[in-house]
């Protein structure tokens, strides 16, 4: 009896425990997930179409417009001058750059002048008796003859008889021989053809300079040229004398120039044409890399936007109904390095003016005009 009662009580206890556990399990509710209502914020600006100029932009290094390389046409030992012949040295127009020892050559020239003087003296008696009308002008020429100075022009013959007589005595040929030597004597001195600065010096005083040897280079630091390669499609807007704005890479310095020359040939490989822009002003140095901007024409009813806002199929995002992104096709009028001119947007439309990663047509967004 006791065993039976123990078994019944155990079964009742197990059944009650199972029912209590089941009741507790059914009463526990699963947690509810929260609905994600987050939307992306986009920045917009109202469209204001208007007139906008199109600029042709190019760049390059500048070179001095006046530049000369110095070569020797005679041979001689280089003599020191008042200024050292070194790079960076400045010279005024006509100032001595280089001078070579010409003593030997000068002595030979003086000897030739003496020969001419003696030849003229020898014909004076004949002129006095045979050509008295020509005697006085030759006498005056002798009186003014300076054996140390540059020859003056020979007297003009009064008649054919005098001309034949003078030529027969080899006076004319000797005269032009001496004039040739005088021209060569000048080449022993090299003077600056313009005010400039020496950029290259290849010889020093005491050096034996040979004919045809390069001596250095001189530039005029006042006027420079920028060689620009312009796309051939803008050639019609590029005219000689057209104003050009030139600036350095940092944009700190700006100069105004103008188109000096335009090449008449288009490069078939790049379809560009060479244009040479003349500029001058302070803080310019040969070899500087500059950027140039030339206004080509003005487009009407266009909007300038950042190139990052333009998709590959020439569409942009606008916000409609204050919350829906919509792709809108536009006509691209002109590209620059960072911006694009587009046409086709309505005034007052809200253009998304900052790129949004993952944006798509119909996307729900929150608008901000910050």
């Amino acid at each position: 009896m006791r065993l039976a009662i123990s078994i019944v009580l155990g079964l009742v206890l197990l059944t009650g425990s199972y029912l209590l556990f089941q009741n507790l399990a059914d009463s526990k509710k699963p947690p509810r997930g929260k609905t994600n209502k987050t939307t992306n914020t986009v920045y917009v600006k109202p469209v204001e179409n208007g007139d906008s100029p199109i600029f042709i932009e190019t760049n390059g290094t500048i070179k001095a417009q006046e530049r000369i390389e110095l070569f020797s046409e005679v041979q001689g030992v280089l003599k020191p001058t008042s200024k050292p012949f070194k790079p960076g040295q400045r010279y005024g127009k006509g100032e001595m750059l280089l001078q070579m020892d010409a003593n030997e050559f000068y002595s030979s020239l003086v000897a030739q002048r003496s020969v001419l003087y003696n030849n003229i003296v020898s014909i004076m008696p004949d002129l006095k008796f045979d050509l008295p009308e020509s005697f006085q002008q030759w006498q005056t020429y002798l009186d003014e003859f300076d054996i140390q100075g540059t020859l003056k022009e020979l007297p003009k013959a009064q008649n054919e008889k005098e001309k034949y007589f003078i030529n027969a005595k080899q006076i004319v040929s000797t005269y032009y021989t001496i004039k040739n030597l005088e021209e060569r004597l000048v080449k022993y001195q090299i003077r600056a053809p313009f005010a400039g600065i020496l950029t290259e010096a290849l010889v020093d005083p005491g050096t034996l300079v040979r004919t045809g040897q390069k001596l250095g280079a001189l530039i005029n630091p006042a006027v420079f040229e920028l060689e620009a390669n312009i796309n051939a499609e803008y050639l019609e807007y590029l005219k000689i004398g057209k104003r050009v704005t030139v600036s350095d890479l940092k944009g700190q310095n700006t100069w105004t120039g103008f188109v000096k020359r335009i090449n008449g040939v288009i490069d078939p490989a790049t379809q560009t044409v060479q244009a040479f822009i003349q500029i001058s002003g302070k803080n310019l140095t040969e070899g500087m890399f500059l950027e140039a901007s030339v206004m080509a024409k003005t487009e009407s009813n266009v909007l300038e936007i950042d190139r990052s806002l333009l998709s590959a199929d020439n569409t942009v995002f606008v916000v409609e109904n204050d919350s829906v992104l919509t792709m809108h096709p536009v006509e691209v009028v002109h590209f620059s390095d960072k911006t694009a001119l587009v046409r086709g947007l309505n005034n007052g439309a809200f253009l998304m003016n900052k790129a949004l990663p993952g944006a798509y047509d119909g996307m729900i967004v929150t608008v901000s005009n910050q």
Side-chain angles (χ1 to χ4, degrees):
M1 181 63 70
R2 289 178 180 176
L3 179 62
I5 293 173
S6 298
I7 293 172
V8 171
L9 290 176
L11 292 174
V12 171
L13 183 60
L14 290 174
T15 303
S17 298
Y18 174 76
L19 292 175
L20 179 61
F21 173 79
Q22 195 69 27
N23 187 34
L24 292 175
D26 292 342
S27 65
K28 189 176 181 179
K29 297 181 180 180
R32 296 181 179 179
K34 295 182 180 181
T35 304
N36 186 9
K37 297 182 179 180
T38 303
T39 57
N40 292 297
T41 300
V42 295
Y43 300 95
V44 299
K45 69 174 182 179
V47 174
E48 295 180 2
N49 293 308
D51 296 339
S52 180
I54 292 180
F55 290 93
I56 305 170
E57 297 180 350
T58 185
N59 52 53
T61 56
I62 59 174
K63 296 181 179 179
Q65 184 174 338
E66 288 185 294
R67 179 186 182 91
I68 184 172
E69 292 187 340
L70 306 173
F71 288 88
S72 175
E73 297 184 65
V74 294
Q75 180 173 310
V77 177
L78 196 65
K79 298 173 64 176
T81 55
S82 59
K83 291 183 178 180
F85 189 73
K86 300 292 182 182
Q89 187 65 260
R90 292 183 176 270
Y91 294 91
K93 184 176 180 180
E95 193 171 354
M96 182 78 69
L97 294 175
L98 292 165
Q99 183 177 13
M100 287 166 278
D101 187 2
N103 291 334
E104 182 179 350
F105 186 85
Y106 179 73
S107 298
S108 176
L109 175 58
V110 172
Q112 289 295 320
R113 289 177 182 157
S114 178
V115 170
L116 177 62
Y117 183 83
N118 293 334
N119 287 344
I120 297 176
V121 170
S122 66
I123 66 169
M124 294 306 292
D126 295 330
L127 287 176
K128 187 173 183 180
F129 291 102
D130 297 336
L131 298 167
E133 67 279 7
S134 303
F135 176 81
Q136 188 56 49
Q137 65 177 0
W138 284 97
Q139 184 62 54
T140 303
Y141 187 80
L142 281 177
D143 295 340
E144 297 175 353
F145 196 98
D146 183 5
I147 200 171
Q148 302 291 336
T150 304
L151 283 185
K152 295 183 178 180
E153 187 177 356
L154 291 175
K156 293 183 179 180
Q158 300 293 324
N159 48 55
E160 293 295 322
K161 184 178 180 180
E162 179 187 353
K163 181 190 296 185
Y164 296 148
F165 178 72
I166 297 301
N167 280 281
K169 298 298 182 179
Q170 297 185 346
I171 291 177
V172 175
S173 60
T174 303
Y175 168 81
Y176 283 108
T177 299
I178 295 173
K179 294 301 290 184
N180 181 56
L181 294 176
E182 288 178 347
E183 289 295 326
R184 193 164 184 81
L185 178 64
V186 174
K187 296 177 182 179
Y188 279 84
Q189 295 180 348
I190 301 178
R191 297 183 178 273
F194 49 79
I197 183 172
L198 197 66
T199 60
E200 187 179 15
L202 304 177
V203 291
D204 295 309
T207 304
L208 176 60
V209 176
R210 302 186 183 278
T211 304
Q213 180 179 346
K214 185 178 179 180
L215 308 176
L218 183 75
I219 66 168
N220 182 355
V223 183
F224 295 90
E225 278 188 350
L226 172 65
E227 180 182 336
N229 294 317
I230 307 297
N231 198 311
E233 65 177 298
Y234 297 118
L235 187 58
E236 61 178 305
Y237 306 109
L238 204 62
K239 305 296 181 183
I240 293 177
K242 193 174 184 65
R243 183 177 175 179
V244 181
T245 301
V246 183
S247 62
D248 57 17
L249 295 180
K250 295 182 179 179
Q252 296 178 347
N253 298 306
T254 303
W255 301 269
T256 300
F258 63 93
V259 179
K260 182 72 173 180
R261 303 188 309 279
I262 301 174
N263 199 334
V265 178
I266 297 176
D267 188 336
T270 61
Q271 287 300 294
T272 58
V273 62
Q274 286 179 318
F276 297 89
I277 301 168
Q278 179 176 315
I279 55 175
S280 59
K282 296 181 179 179
N283 302 323
L284 288 173
T285 306
E286 182 168 281
M288 285 181 64
F289 190 84
L290 301 179
E291 296 179 336
S293 179
V294 186
M295 192 180 80
K297 59 179 179 177
T298 300
E299 289 286 350
S300 59
N301 197 30
V302 292
L303 177 68
E304 185 176 25
I305 65 173
D306 193 282
R307 291 187 63 164
S308 63
L309 303 178
L310 192 66
S311 63
D313 57 351
N314 291 342
T315 58
V316 295
F317 281 107
V318 296
V319 178
E320 295 183 349
N321 301 323
D322 295 333
S323 61
V324 181
L325 275 185
T326 304
M327 298 183 70
H328 195 290
V330 293
E331 175 193 356
V332 180
V333 178
H334 177 70
F335 277 117
S336 65
D337 290 341
K338 298 179 181 179
T339 63
L341 284 180
V342 299
R343 181 184 288 128
L345 294 173
N346 296 325
N347 285 324
F350 291 101
L351 171 71
M352 185 180 73
N353 67 338
K354 186 176 181 180
L356 177 65
Y360 57 88
D361 190 27
M363 184 177 185
I364 304 300
V365 295
T366 301
V367 174
S368 174
N369 61 352
Q370 298 295 320

